[in-house]
Amino acid sequence: MGNVIASAVVSLDGFVADLDDGVGPLFDWYGNGPVQVYGTDPGRPFQVSQASADYMNETWPNISACIIGRRLFDITNGWNGVPAVGDHVFVVTHEPPTDWPFPDAPFTFVNGIEEAVAQAKTHSGDRDISITGGNLTGQALAAGLVDEIAYNLAPVVLGTGRKFFGDYAGPQVLLDNPRIIEGDRVTHLHYKVTKS
C-alpha cells in the first residue's frame, strides 16, 4: 500500500494562500529555475532549480491519486480535466458539479475525507496519494490517515490566510526528522509521521 502524503507550498507562518485564495510569491519557485519538470499535463511545465527538479522527479511519479477539496477544484476548474500530478483526482465535496465541461475526466466526487482516502487507496495500490493542504489536511491528520508531510516552505510571511492544516485542533502529532532539500526560493521538508 502506498503512502498518504499531505503536501502544499507553505509560507513561513503556515499559510497555503491568502484569504482571497491568492498564492502570491508562494509559487515563485515554480518558474525561477533552468530545469523543466512536468506533472501529468504535458502542456504545463515548471521551471525549477536542479535540486527541486530532482526532488519532484523522485516523488511525483510515485503519486497515483490526488485528493483535493471543492474550493481548489473550483479555483482551478479541475485543471480543465487534467490532474496536476497522478492519474486520478478525488474531490471532497457535498455537492458535485452538475455542469462541469469535462465529465469524462479522471475525477471522482466523494463525500468526506475518509471515503476519499479509501477510494484513492483502492485506485492507487502500491503508489502514493497526495492530499492538498488546508482543511482536508487537518481532517486527514485528525483521522490518523496521513503517513508523510511534504512541506514546501517558501521564504515569505503572509500574515494571514488559509492554513496548511486548516482548522486542526487535535492532539499533538510527532514527526520524524525531515529530509531537507534546498531549492531556489523554496525548502522542501519531507517528514514521516511517527506512528505508535
Side-chain angles (χ1 to χ4, degrees):
M1 194 60 68
N3 290 313
V4 176
I5 305 168
S7 178
V9 181
V10 189
S11 68
L12 190 59
D13 50 348
F15 299 109
V16 296
D18 64 26
L19 292 175
D20 295 322
D21 296 314
V23 294
L26 289 175
F27 283 8
D28 286 355
W29 68 276
Y30 278 132
N32 70 355
V35 183
Q36 211 166 58
V37 176
Y38 290 87
T40 303
D41 187 347
R44 195 179 325 148
F46 299 93
Q47 294 287 146
V48 298
S49 69
Q50 185 64 59
S52 289
D54 291 345
Y55 175 68
M56 294 160 78
N57 285 328
E58 175 189 335
T59 56
W60 283 11
N62 294 330
I63 296 171
S64 173
C66 291
I67 299 173
I68 67 172
R70 182 60 189 266
R71 177 190 300 276
L72 181 58
F73 174 82
D74 287 343
I75 290 169
T76 64
N77 191 35
W79 302 290
N80 296 322
V82 180
V85 178
D87 55 36
H88 202 94
V89 177
F90 293 86
V91 182
V92 177
T93 180
H94 297 296
E95 294 183 27
T98 57
D99 58 351
W100 193 43
F102 307 100
D104 297 327
F107 284 65
T108 301
F109 299 91
V110 296
N111 188 358
I113 190 64
E114 291 88 356
E115 181 181 344
V117 170
Q119 287 193 31
K121 283 185 173 186
T122 299
H123 170 83
S124 300
D126 291 335
R127 295 178 65 207
D128 294 335
I129 298 160
S130 175
I131 299 178
T132 57
N135 280 331
L136 288 183
T137 298
Q139 292 168 21
L141 197 64
L145 300 172
V146 177
D147 300 306
E148 299 178 18
I149 296 174
Y151 202 86
N152 302 289
L153 183 62
V156 61
V157 175
L158 293 183
T160 188
R162 306 207 182 275
K163 297 178 185 176
F164 179 82
F165 293 105
D167 298 327
Y168 181 77
Q172 286 185 351
V173 176
L174 294 178
L175 310 175
D176 290 346
N177 289 329
R179 178 174 167 219
I180 302 168
I181 299 95
E182 187 176 338
D184 184 6
R185 304 295 300 162
V186 65
T187 302
H188 307 284
L189 302 169
H190 201 109
Y191 300 88
K192 289 186 187 268
V193 176
T194 301
K195 303 268 182 163
S196 52

